[in-house]
């Protein structure tokens, strides 16, 4: 049998890199398959993979056999027929074990188009010691008011302790993700049922004002260029009192090798305003197979392996339970070993609390919590994100930023033909 | 100006020059230094200068993640390949412009340079489709073709300015001596222009080595050079300064060392006729 | 063999005619010097003969064969350039061997000829040096060596000595003359220095604005310049040319007297003047005499040392039989 | 040199280069122009249709367009200003006698070899970061508030980073030029009574003008398409403070995969680049012949 | 005023002593030429005077004032460089104005001096050209103009003519001599061309390896060279120097006879030889005679045209009273 070489495009995060180093297990089991890794930073990855998938379509000349895609792309790509459906995964894969919130987002017309590698929501990570010092207590489900109060209490700029670290870097996957989720809890939405942008609404105004308030008063300097990584580094150095961000961060901030505050981290659900929606998102990195791949069968074997229970066990054995890719399988959270992991419970609860189908208080025509699952969103999100970061940098007022966002979005939606 | 330079003045100049030189170099020095620190030490305040536990763990981590040597080799093949092919095309062209100049020569040269102003993002999609259809995607030959075209104007210009310094009489002498056009270029012009050709080669190898747009967008795994290698570090998760530094060091070290060793040569040719 | 004949050869660069049609015959074995002021077309003419430029009109015959359509290499001529045009990356040996290598001569023959040339030109010790390591005169010799080994039917020299300093120039001039005496090959030599022309040539061709003013042996030109231009150009220091009354006295428009044909005296003579600059070389003395009543300053040469200085009054008498007369067109008048 | 044979040969020898570059210019350009007239989004295949000039209208009406134009000019101009003045000063400095000249030259040359991505990453994370960066530490040590460069002066920061990369190039060309100045000219000026500063102003600077033009030309070619530095550090923000034309086209064609719009932007960028080119060529042509 | 005195001036570059301590007096209004072979330290000496190099030892007095610590600009001297050192980006006018602009002279005065200098140097038509658009001789004049307008107490020239061609060199030489006659300002002129030295100088300083071999007027040096070096250096063509039997006959280690002090005859004389190369200039004839039985070839000059050619046998007789005798150290022996 000729050996086939799979070219796998992955994002450069810790879990994916771990998979790369453990992939010898897979090739040992499948001697006919060689793996070729292309690891790229998220933006570059998305751009490269999209160009490739979109230009090759269904013709058999895609450069990648397995691509790492997010929950944003999967429904769009599946709709274009760019991904191979994964209905025929082996029985031991146990599709039904996947968390429904995640699985729903990857299923279009009843067909699964990508296998989740890990899933995440967002939650509050906080410093127990600082909360204690401030004389406050963090409930499991805090409100935004409490967050504001705690942030104010914990801030000690002279000692470089900042009450709250939030994303400020422009980008639809960066500040826009956070703000969209936050806006949901404030009762805001991107579009109304007629796709009219809603940035001129009161809830958005409140969202942005509160956000700016928090970050400028209690956040670290340079917040306008902080993304996930920058904040992670800050938190690990003990410079953040609270950090509202992806649940996957939990394993990093509790890892004593990297974090100076590993034993002081507490977790809580993302805050709410009592409107029935919390400010948390839902995201999963998944593995999909481009329709243009020349090695669909081998690719399926790999995808099944990399997202299987077996792989989870392999990681647990090699790296410990805390490093298992989280958020994809019910069975993981049923595992008593895993329940010992401090953030396991809160991660699961956060994921369960997100509802991509009905993300907002008021009805909307789109799905997706912190994004809008339409192709135009990447571009719009980037433009809106730039406005929000400009507001944070003090270049424009909140009012002005929202007004610009409204205009830009209207413009793009008009061009895309949403209003005839 | 050959008047006595007082040792005092020389000492002062030495201090100033070294300070400025070290300041300019500092970012690179710091990167290299950081690559030997642990992640925690990399972000320590105040910064640690020399007193820390030197470690190679970041290099190990980087190597584990991606096959450095393959990227390295791709970079070598692509940058040298494109430059050499460029030279082969450019030498005759520069010969013609330098020794048989016409009214249009200058215009042609300027037009050639202006093709370098083509913004790559604007034409990525068309070229991507073109490459896909010709099977050049993710091949070293594909990249060599692109980089040859990108660098050709600079190569021609550099050679042209170099050739112009060579007295035409020598080529005429060769012609009188019975040399054909081919032997004239092969045995007389090219060897005489070796210093110029060498610096052209160097500069264009450096430019190709650092070219990040096309090399990133037209490769996947097989032909990916070091620019793609570094692209996977532009924002990994968690503390990453040390690993980033290690990867950066590995990406720039080869060309830095090559550049340093040949700097005399490089600098000498880096004048584009600006110096007569 | 090396007989070169130009028939109606002309050269235009675009609109400007640099060389109007001209005819010229160069005999086998002759040493011909093209001389003329800068820009008069000497180099162009030489390059036309070499084939480095295309003629605009006319034919060039080499040994009776029409060479006009031939490439430079095919004409069997060798050229020595003003800048020497040595190949800087090759050793002296390789430089000299280059034309033979191009012609595909076998190694043994190449070696033989290189050794001969090196011996003749005193280059044996330098064969393995690069041109950059040689002095100006040595480089000049290498250039000549490279020409010799081809055993050409004629040598072309374009101001080969103008880059050398005065002392070396005299030496190299002698060497080239000796070479010609030995080889007896046709040589065409371009210079704008009339001393070089006088000392080296069998035949001088005086060019002026692309036209041939006179062709003849050095002494012919010295004694019987055909017109004012040649009279002024040949001889050093320049012939004194007078117009006006002084000339009319001899029934001519212009008369000329060479500085060496004027005798001086502190107290009597034909013309009187005041010494402007005097140059005392020991062997000779030159006076540049002003306020003579003639329109022009007069240059006079006296043998040995003459004790007259700047500002002194001087009397001058031309040798009557050495006076040249020219008509209104500047052409020589019969004596 | 000017025989018919050599002219024919010259035409033959230059043609491969000309043909290749013509193809390189025309083929993608023609495709780009063609695409720019289509409604064509990669994410929505099968919907390509004729759009006329709509893409252009849309591109020009983009509120970011003007600021991108201004940013492009500021970026190019700023880097040129810094690298040329810095280069002249560096050249003056390196031309002085001091111990370890060769070594300092190596130090100064080094940034030229650094990949743009790497340099942007290093500057952003290890220097300009307001919490962990060296600058922040310096400011704090000096008792000042750390400056958040990429937020407070984003364009200036990028100009700084790019200037750092191009300073060596300018310094070295100018140094070579400076060393080619006939020392007798300086001596003559000295005899003529010109003190140091006047010698610089009246003799050295005019001598460098040709080299400066060349530096400007070459750098402009590369600076017009600065991209990696922006992508890595600020992503074009905050707002559109660091979005240049190249980045704008990137946002439109590669983030939105709107090939039609991106191509229109590409065509506009090409036209603008050529305007700059013509302007530069004029200046160069004059200066190079002199 | 322009009296320049060097007292024990020496120059070392690092370890090597280029100029051993020397004394020299230059009177006001004198035209002094430094002459010597290449590398003998002429330029260095001039630059020491100009202040462009620091002396290693000794003092330089200008008009009796110690100028050693003064900057070049303060010494009141003007220099004309070998390469002209014109400012290529300035027009001729600006070039000439530059020193006055630096001195802060008012516009009207500047204009006046420029016009005067331009008239004197025939530059009026070129004032608005750039140096690049001028011929070599014109550039030279601009450089002189730039020096003149400063009204310096002395002019320093460093081989100002060596970049010009032979004909132009003669012309410029005269112009500079005339200038000196007119201005009567001290001029120090460096050259390695002994003809220039002989024709221009009031006083020649012969340098050899940094040492002064002889100081004197041109004719003094011509008639009584103090040693073999000066004897061989001054005079053109070079003096014939003989050692061996020919010298012993006169009780000397070396004897010297100038070519112009040997008479020739086709049938009788003191020495016999065969003509190698003969140069017929019309005004003079030079013979290079070989196979003389003397160790060296002999150069002979005959006035006018002498009908002897290559290969002819020739007899030569030196003028006994013009024979120079030198001892084993090369020093002149009393007659
Ligand atoms: N390629 C050319 N194009 C146009 N004109 C030219 C060209 N080459 C020479 N000329 C012109 O032809 C004339 C003769 O030039 P040529 O070089 O033959 O003069 P020359 O007698 O050799 O002068 P010199 O003594 O200065 O070398 C000059 O006026 C020159 O400007
Ligand atoms: N800056 C310097 N450092 C070391 N040696 C020098 C320097 N300048 C000159 N010399 C040496 O000093 C000696 C005299 O040089 P100088 O230039 O004065 O000679 P010159 O008589 O002017 O020669 P030329 O006729 O070639 O111009 C030479 O041997 C030269 O090598
Ligand atoms: Mg010529
Ligand atoms: Mg000198």
């Amino acid at each position: 049998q000729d050996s086939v070489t799979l070219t796998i495009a992955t994002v450069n995060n810790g879990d994916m890199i771990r998979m790369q180093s453990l992939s010898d297990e897979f090739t040992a089991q499948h001697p006919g398959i060689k793996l070729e890794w292309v690891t790229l930073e998220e933006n570059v990855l998305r751009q490269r993979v999209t160009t490739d998938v979109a230009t090759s379509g269904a013709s058999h000349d895609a450069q990648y056999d397995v691509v790492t895609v997010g929950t944003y792309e999967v429904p769009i790509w599946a709709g274009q027929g760019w991904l191979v459906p994964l209905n025929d995964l082996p029985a031991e894969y146990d599709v039904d074990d996947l968390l429904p919130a995640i699985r729903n987002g990857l299923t279009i017309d009843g067909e699964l188009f990508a296998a989740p590698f890990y899933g995440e929501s967002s939650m509050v990570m906080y410093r127990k010691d600082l909360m204690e010092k401030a004389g406050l207590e963090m409930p499991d489900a805090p409100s935004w008011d409490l967050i504001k109060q705690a942030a104010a209490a914990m801030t000690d700029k002279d000692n470089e302790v900042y009450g709250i670290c939030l994303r400020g870097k422009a980008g639809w996957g960066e500040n826009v993700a956070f703000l969209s989720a936050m806006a949901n809890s404030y009762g805001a939405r991107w579009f109304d049922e007629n796709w009219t942008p809603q940035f001129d609404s009161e809830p958005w105004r409140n969202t942005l004002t509160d956000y700016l308030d928090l970050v400028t008063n209690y956040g670290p300097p340079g917040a306008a260029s902080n993304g996930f990584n920058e904040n992670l580094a800050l938190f690990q150095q003990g410079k953040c009192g609270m950090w509202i961000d992806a649940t996957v961060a939990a394993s990093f901030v509790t890892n004593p090798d990297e974090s100076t505050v590993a034993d002081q981290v507490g977790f809580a659900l993302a805050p709410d305003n009592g409107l029935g929606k919390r400010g948390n998102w839902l995201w999963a990195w998944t593995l999909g197979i481009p329709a243009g791949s020349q090695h669909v069968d081998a690719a399926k074997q790999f995808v099944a392996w990399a997202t299987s229970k077996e792989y989870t066990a392999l990681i647990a054995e090699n790296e410990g339970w805390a490093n298992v890719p989280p958020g994809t399988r019910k069975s993981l959270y049923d595992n008593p070993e895993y329940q010992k992991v401090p953030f396991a419970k809160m991660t699961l609860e956060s994921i369960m609390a997100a509802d991509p189908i009905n993300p907002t208080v008021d009805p909307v025509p789109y799905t997706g919590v912190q994004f809008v699952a339409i192709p135009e969103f990447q571009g719009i999100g980037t433009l809106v994100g730039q406005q929000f970061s400009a507001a944070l940098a003090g270049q424009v007022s909140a009012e002005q930023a929202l007004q610009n966002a409204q205009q830009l979005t209207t413009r793009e939606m008009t061009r895309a033909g949403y209003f005839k | 100006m050959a008047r006595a330079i007082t040792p005092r003045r020389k000492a002062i100049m030495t201090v100033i020059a070294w300070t400025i030189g070290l300041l300019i170099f500092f970012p690179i020095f710091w990167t290299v230094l950081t690559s030997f620190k642990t992640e925690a030490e990399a972000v320590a305040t105040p910064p640690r200068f020399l007193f820390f536990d030197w470690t190679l763990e970041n290099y190990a981590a980087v190597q584990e993640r991606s096959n450095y040597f393959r990227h390295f080799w791709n970079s070598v093949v692509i940058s040298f390949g494109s430059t050499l092919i460029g030279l082969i095309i450019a030498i005759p062209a520069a010969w013609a412009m330098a020794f048989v100049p016409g009214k249009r020569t200058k215009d042609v040269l300027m037009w050639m340079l202006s093709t370098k102003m083509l913004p790559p993002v604007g034409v990525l999609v068309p070229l991507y489709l073109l490459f896909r259809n010709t099977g050049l995607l993710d091949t070293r030959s594909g990249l060599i073709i692109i980089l040859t075209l990108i660098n050709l104007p600079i190569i021609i210009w550099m050679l042209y300015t170099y050739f112009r310094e060579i007295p035409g009489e020598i080529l005429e002498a060769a012609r009188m001596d019975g040399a054909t056009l081919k032997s004239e270029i092969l045995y007389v012009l090219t060897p005489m222009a070796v210093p110029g050709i060498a610096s052209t080669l160097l500069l264009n190898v450096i430019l190709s080595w650092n070219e990040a747009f096309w090399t990133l967008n037209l490769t996947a795994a097989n032909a990916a050079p070091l620019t793609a290698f570094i692209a996977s570090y532009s924002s990994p998760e968690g503390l990453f300064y040390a690993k980033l530094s290690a990867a950066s060091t590995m990406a720039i070290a080869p060309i830095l060392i090559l550049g340093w060793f040949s700097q005399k040569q490089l600098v000498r040719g880096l004048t584009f006729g600006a110096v007569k | 063999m090396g007989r070169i004949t130009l028939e109606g050869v002309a050269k235009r660069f675009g609109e400007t005619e640099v060389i109007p049609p001209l005819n010229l015959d160069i005999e086998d074995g002759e040493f011909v010097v093209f001389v003329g002021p800068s820009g008069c077309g000497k180099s162009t003419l030489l390059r036309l003969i070499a084939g480095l430029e295309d003629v605009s009109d006319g034919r060039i015959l080499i040994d009776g064969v029409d060479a006009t359509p031939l490439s430079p290499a095919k004409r069997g001529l060798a050229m020595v350039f003003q800048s020497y045009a040595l190949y800087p990356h090759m050793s002296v040996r390789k430089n000299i061997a280059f034309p033979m290598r191009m012609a595909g001569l076998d190694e043994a023959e190449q070696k033989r000829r290189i050794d001969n040339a090196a011996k003749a030109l005193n280059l044996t010790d330098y064969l393995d040096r690069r041109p950059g390591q040689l002095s100006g005169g040595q480089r000049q010799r290498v250039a000549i060596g490279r020409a010799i080994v081809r055993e050409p039917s004629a040598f072309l020299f374009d101001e080969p000595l103008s880059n050398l300093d005065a002392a070396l120039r005299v030496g190299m001039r002698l060497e080239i003359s000796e070479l010609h005496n030995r080889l007896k090959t046709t040589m065409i030599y371009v210079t704008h220095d009339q001393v070089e022309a006088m000392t080296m040539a069998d035949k001088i061709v005086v060019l002026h604005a692309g036209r041939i003013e006179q062709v003849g042996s050095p002494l012919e030109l010295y004694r019987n310049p055909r017109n004012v231009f040649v009279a002024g150009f040949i001889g050093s220091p320049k012939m004194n040319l007078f117009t006006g009354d002084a000339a009319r006295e001899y029934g001519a428009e212009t008369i000329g007297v060479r500085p060496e044909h004027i005798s001086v005296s502190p107290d009597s003579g034909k013309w009187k003047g005041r010494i402007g600059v005097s140059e005392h070389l020991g062997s000779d003395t030159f006076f540049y005499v002003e306020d003579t009543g003639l329109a022009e300053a007069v240059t006079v040469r006296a043998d040995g040392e003459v004790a007259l200085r700047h500002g002194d009054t001087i009397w001058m008498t031309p040798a009557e039989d050495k006076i040249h007369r020219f008509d209104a067109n500047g052409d020589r008048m019969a004596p | 040199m000017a025989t018919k044979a050599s002219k024919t040969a010259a035409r033959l020898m230059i043609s491969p280069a000309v043909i290749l570059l013509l193809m390189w210019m025309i083929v993608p350009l023609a495709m780009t122009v063609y695409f720019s007239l289509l409604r064509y989004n990669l994410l929505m295949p099968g919907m390509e249709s004729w759009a006329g000039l709509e893409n252009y209208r849309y591109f020009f009406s983009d509120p970011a367009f003007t600021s991108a134009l201004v940013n492009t000019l500021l970026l190019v101009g700023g880097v040129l200003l810094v690298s040329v003045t810095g280069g002249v000063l560096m050249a003056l400095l390196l031309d002085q006698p001091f111990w370890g000249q060769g070594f300092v030259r190596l130090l100064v040359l080094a940034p030229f070899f650094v990949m743009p991505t790497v340099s942007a990453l290093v500057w952003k994370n290890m220097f300009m970061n307001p919490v962990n960066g060296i600058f922040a530490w310096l400011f704090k040590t000096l008792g000042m508030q750390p400056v958040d460069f990429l937020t407070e002066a984003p364009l200036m920061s990028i100009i700084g980073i790019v200037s750092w990369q191009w300073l060596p190039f300018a310094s070295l060309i100018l140094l070579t030029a400076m060393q080619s100045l006939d020392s007798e000219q300086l001596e003559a000026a000295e005899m003529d009574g010109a003190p140091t500063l006047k010698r610089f102003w009246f003799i050295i600077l005019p001598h460098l003008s040709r080299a400066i033009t060349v530096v400007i030309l070459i750098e402009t070619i590369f600076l017009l398409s600065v991209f990696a530095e922006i992508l890595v550090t600020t992503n074009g923000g905050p707002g559109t403070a660091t979005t240049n034309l190249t980045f704008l086209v990137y946002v439109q064609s590669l983030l939105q995969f709107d090939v039609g719009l991106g191509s229109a932007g590409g065509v506009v960028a090409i036209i603008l680049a050529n305007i700059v080119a013509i302007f530069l060529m004029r200046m160069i042509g004059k200066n190079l012949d002199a």
Side-chain angles (χ1 to χ4, degrees), chain C residues 169 173 219 222 260 279 282-284 301 303 305 310:
Chain C
R169 212 145 48 206
R173 193 164 92 192
L219 291 177
Y222 178 81
E260 57 269 30
E279 298 185 336
S283 50
D284 309 278
R301 165 175 152 179
D303 275 359
E305 173 53 18
H310 171 72

Side-chain angles (χ1 to χ4, degrees), chain A residues 148-164:
Chain A
K148 283 183 224 166
Q149 192 191 344
M154 285 192 279
T155 301
D156 176 6
K157 289 191 177 169
D158 292 339
N159 290 313
E160 292 197 334
V161 175
Y162 306 98
I164 190 160

Side-chain angles (χ1 to χ4, degrees), chain C residues 29-335:
Chain C
E30 244 179 353
F31 196 115
V32 176
V33 173
F34 292 171
V35 76
S38 186
C40 70
K42 306 178 295 293
S43 297
T44 307
L45 194 54
L46 198 72
R47 292 161 58 81
L48 288 175
I49 296 173
L52 292 169
E53 303 273 0
D54 289 330
V55 298
S56 304
D57 264 321
R59 302 196 308 155
I60 294 170
L61 307 180
I62 298 178
D63 293 328
V65 181
D66 185 359
T68 328
L70 294 183
S71 77
K74 298 265 161 63
R75 300 190 182 193
L77 309 174
M79 183 148 169
V80 174
F81 291 83
Q82 175 169 7
S83 63
Y84 322 133
L86 300 182
Y87 310 125
H89 56 287
M90 300 183 193
S91 65
V92 168
R93 187 190 306 282
K94 290 234 172 96
N95 259 284
I96 298 181
F98 188 77
M100 300 188 280
R101 199 165 133 218
M102 291 297 113
L105 248 65
D106 69 72
E107 295 278 325
E109 175 66 10
Q110 286 191 22
K111 194 168 158 19
R112 199 185 58 74
R113 292 203 199 170
I114 293 171
D115 288 346
N116 281 348
K119 218 172 293 160
L121 293 163
N122 256 327
L123 284 171
T124 315
D125 293 345
Y126 308 109
L127 278 179
D128 293 313
R129 293 222 195 142
R130 293 275 175 96
Q133 300 163 305
L134 300 178
S135 73
Q138 289 164 344
R139 284 186 215 180
Q140 189 56 67
R141 283 196 213 120
V142 176
I144 295 175
R146 196 173 59 183
I148 288 180
V149 292
R150 294 183 52 202
E151 303 180 348
S153 57
F155 289 94
L156 312 178
F157 292 90
D158 192 356
E159 313 207 16
L161 306 182
S162 63
N163 284 343
L164 304 180
D165 75 17
L168 208 53
R169 212 145 48 206
V170 174
M172 285 305 300
R173 193 164 92 192
L174 291 176
E175 284 188 28
I176 294 176
S177 291
E178 269 165 20
L179 192 73
H180 183 243
N181 284 340
R182 208 165 58 237
L183 297 179
K184 306 257 182 266
T185 314
T186 312
M187 293 190 175
I188 307 180
Y189 188 105
V190 163
T191 180
H192 61 254
D193 177 350
Q194 63 86 27
V195 176
E196 264 175 40
M198 291 295 284
T199 53
M200 303 175 83
D202 292 326
K203 182 154 100 189
I204 294 181
V205 177
V206 181
L207 289 168
H208 184 205
R211 274 169 302 104
I212 295 182
E213 295 288 341
Q214 189 168 1
V215 178
S217 76
L219 291 177
E220 231 169 283
L221 266 54
Y222 178 81
R223 293 199 191 114
N224 301 315
R226 193 150 74 194
N227 54 31
V228 175
F229 178 80
V230 177
F233 198 82
I234 298 290
S236 164
K238 276 181 60 154
M239 181 187 284
N240 296 296
L241 292 169
F242 307 111
T243 48
D245 286 342
R248 239 163 281 138
E249 186 187 331
Y250 292 90
E253 182 67 20
T254 311
I255 58 164
V257 200
R258 298 197 182 274
E260 57 269 30
H261 298 147
I262 299 179
S263 55
V264 297
S265 142
D267 37 26
S268 69
K270 187 177 170 97
W271 299 314
K272 181 184 152 194
R274 197 178 48 74
I275 297 177
V277 174
S278 63
E279 298 185 336
H280 303 265
L281 285 167
S283 50
D284 309 278
T285 310
F286 294 97
F287 298 110
Y288 300 90
V289 185
E290 295 161 354
D291 302 333
T292 49
L294 301 163
E296 294 85 6
V298 182
T299 308
V300 185
R301 165 175 152 179
D303 275 359
E305 173 53 18
V306 176
L308 290 167
R309 312 243 139 235
H310 171 72
D312 290 354
T313 300
I314 191 174
W315 291 88
M316 302 164 289
T317 315
E320 293 293 331
D321 59 334
K322 296 283 170 61
I323 289 178
H324 306 266
R325 302 186 308 138
F326 303 98
D327 64 17
N329 294 329
D331 288 334
R332 182 179 195 80
M333 294 165 72

